[in-house]
Amino acid sequence: MMNYILPCLYAFGASFAFAIVFNIQRNKLLLSALGGMLGQLAFVIFLNVLSNQAASYMLATIAIALYAEVMARLTKSPTTIYLAVALIPLVPGGGIYYTMLYFINGDIELGASTGIETLLISGALAVGIIMVSSTVNLVRKVMLKRKARMGKKYHYGQKN
Amino acid sequence: MTGSQLSHVAMEMGIILLSNGAETYRVEESMQRICFALGAREAEIFVVPSTIIITITMPNEIPLTLTRRIHSRKTDLHKVADMNHLSRQICYESLSYDELISEIDRINAIPSYSYLLHLLAFAFIAQMFTLFFGGNFLDSCLGFIIGLGIKLQMDVMGRLETNSFFINIVGGIIASTVAVIAAGLGLTANMNTIIIGSIMTLVPGLVITNSIRDIIAGDYLSGLTKGVEALLIGSAIATGVAVPLSLLRPFWGG
């Protein structure tokens, strides 16, 4: 159990420090760092359920992107503040390193397979963000349209 | 408000947003919003990561074009958030030219966190990620030292206006040199963990996020530019890490 909780706490600490590096406002530091913890937590849970790395990364990214959108609406600030900080613990730094290490050790096959896995994970992160942002945009547009139509009706009603 | 005043205000706003790490579409939208809110008939805005071009047409005036090139970029999301808030506020309440300028100056003068805090944050990131990837406490302290070193190196080289590719190569070299030497002296058995944890400080998280979000918004030019930047930084880090690992191979005995 500790093996699952400790990495989440470390991800929280690292995200908090990254929030300082990005100069995020003092009262939003904690919220953005919580996103980093949430991403790691979601990743660990999905990895245990699905035991598929790329899919778990994608679902974890979807979780943090949803968190970022909700928090951005609640605190009336840009989504990037929460998304960029929360994304960093999910970036496959280890994959990049081991790809390079296998290559300089002369193990081309292992390096190539690790490299492709790393690329796949990066793609999963991108897809996760794209899915959430596009869906949120769509919902917002539909709601704006509905609001505009209702406003018109109300306007006509007043006229009569 | 005259056309030249309006274009000045919009441009100042866009410059602050773009040079502090906002997405391209956010810069374009904010500038457009303020232009229409303050009475422009037409406003065409084109933003790429290094340049802003804006053409404003006021009623009964000839069009006015302004171009500004951005030379240095840093990350200060506090300014982005406040500027974003200001651009929305303008739509609801009317502010005079002087009020707007003083508000923009206030946002531009918002202090970032102190240098010492930045330094400690950098070192803390390296420490936390070393633990995150499975290192023990001693490893994390080595990560802390490497984080300090990388931050100092980045600032010294940044002041000398070195390109970011080279800065990241040297950052990678520092991380893996210290880790290799520590492993050679028998201080640690987790050399790989320390290196991975330390290079996470160099990961361009904001660039990756903005690149993806720009591409979704349809700004392929900016999105691809930032994507290439992220890829270059990633390969620069790997290159830097590879140099001591190859040259000091007899020392760490891999």
Side-chain angles (χ1 to χ4, degrees):
Chain A
M1 197 59 196
M2 237 21 207
N3 287 344
Y4 296 129
I5 294 173
L6 276 180
C8 294
L9 291 180
Y10 298 146
F12 176 80
S15 306
F16 194 88
F18 252 111
I20 292 176
V21 169
F22 287 162
N23 286 312
I24 290 173
Q25 221 168 332
R26 198 164 285 138
N27 52 8
K28 292 169 192 156
L29 282 177
L30 213 63
L31 280 177
S32 54
L34 275 177
M37 189 165 91
L38 179 78
Q40 179 59 25
L41 193 67
F43 172 69
V44 169
I45 291 173
F46 285 125
L47 191 63
N48 265 324
V49 176
L50 298 172
S51 59
N52 176 341
Q53 266 213 323
S56 313
Y57 271 110
M58 194 184 80
L59 290 171
T61 315
I62 290 179
I64 58 168
L66 278 175
Y67 173 82
E69 296 283 351
V70 170
M71 282 302 151
R73 298 288 178 281
L74 286 183
T75 59
K76 294 199 169 59
S77 42
T79 317
T80 332
I81 288 187
Y82 302 102
L83 192 55
V85 170
L87 192 68
I88 289 168
L90 294 175
V91 171
I96 298 172
Y97 173 73
Y98 281 113
T99 307
M100 183 275 307
L101 188 67
Y102 293 140
F103 275 131
I104 64 169
N105 281 345
D107 203 337
I108 305 293
E109 262 178 46
L110 200 54
S113 70
T114 315
I116 290 172
E117 206 181 302
T118 310
L119 271 183
L120 203 66
I121 292 172
S122 318
L125 299 187
V127 169
I129 295 179
I130 289 175
M131 280 166 76
V132 172
S133 298
S134 311
T135 314
V136 167
N137 272 345
L138 196 72
V139 170
R140 202 180 63 184
K141 284 218 175 97
V142 169
M143 276 166 72
L144 274 180
K145 250 192 194 144
R146 184 170 294 168
K147 207 184 252 176
R149 207 181 297 149
M150 273 165 60
K152 229 182 240 169
K153 266 183 197 160
Y154 180 65
H155 193 69
Y156 286 139
Q158 254 190 346
K159 248 186 187 172
N160 293 334
Chain B
M1 192 173 290
T2 64
S4 65
Q5 278 178 334
L6 177 51
S7 63
H8 176 227
V9 168
M11 185 55 100
E12 284 301 320
M13 198 167 209
I15 290 286
I16 292 175
L17 277 172
L18 191 59
S19 60
N20 284 303
E23 308 98 307
T24 303
Y25 81 88
R26 189 181 303 284
V27 182
E28 287 184 353
E29 264 181 25
S30 301
M31 290 174 76
Q32 199 136 37
R33 217 178 279 142
I34 176 179
C35 288
F36 285 129
L38 297 180
R41 192 158 57 84
E42 271 172 39
E44 294 294 336
I45 293 143
F46 178 68
V47 177
V48 284
S50 56
T51 312
I52 297 180
I53 303 174
I54 175 172
T55 301
I56 293 185
T57 314
M58 297 299 276
N60 309 321
E61 274 184 45
I62 52 167
L64 183 74
T65 299
L66 221 63
T67 306
R68 194 80 83 76
R69 174 87 163 82
I70 294 196
H71 293 286
S72 70
R73 266 183 291 161
K74 55 186 179 15
T75 306
D76 194 331
L77 294 179
H78 188 174
K79 286 178 190 167
V80 172
D82 274 21
M83 198 52 101
N84 192 50
H85 186 72
L86 176 65
S87 85
R88 284 172 206 274
Q89 196 185 352
I90 290 170
C91 301
Y92 299 119
E93 48 185 291
S94 60
L95 295 169
S96 72
Y97 175 71
D98 290 331
E99 279 170 336
L100 267 175
I101 286 292
S102 71
E103 189 68 9
I104 287 173
D105 283 344
R106 180 191 68 80
I107 290 173
N108 203 14
I110 290 174
S112 42
Y113 291 111
S114 69
Y115 185 74
L116 189 67
L117 199 58
H118 270 269
L119 196 65
L120 286 177
F122 240 80
F124 194 63
I125 293 169
Q127 181 171 29
M128 278 296 133
F129 271 118
T130 311
L131 290 168
F132 181 78
F133 287 110
N136 57 31
F137 183 69
L138 186 63
D139 301 340
S140 77
C141 292
L142 282 168
F144 189 86
I145 294 167
I146 296 173
L148 285 179
I150 289 178
K151 172 69 177 164
L152 291 173
Q153 166 261 335
M154 276 173 87
D155 286 338
V156 170
M157 290 181 78
R159 209 166 293 149
L160 300 173
E161 290 177 4
T162 323
N163 59 34
S164 71
F165 193 64
F166 195 55
I167 289 181
N168 284 297
I169 289 183
V170 177
I173 290 179
I174 290 177
S176 75
T177 308
V178 175
V180 165
I181 289 176
L185 294 177
L187 282 174
T188 171
N190 305 327
M191 186 187 75
N192 296 336
T193 314
I194 297 177
I195 297 178
I196 299 170
S198 325
I199 59 175
M200 287 302 277
T201 54
L202 298 167
V203 164
L206 192 69
V207 178
I208 298 172
T209 316
N210 279 350
S211 144
I212 298 170
R213 288 178 65 84
D214 276 350
I215 289 177
I216 303 172
D219 297 315
Y220 297 118
L221 198 58
S222 311
L224 282 183
T225 313
K226 286 175 191 164
V228 169
E229 188 185 341
L231 266 183
L232 274 179
I233 291 177
S235 43
I237 298 169
T239 312
V241 171
V243 173
L245 277 182
S246 318
L247 295 182
L248 300 177
R249 184 176 291 265
F251 195 67
W252 61 281

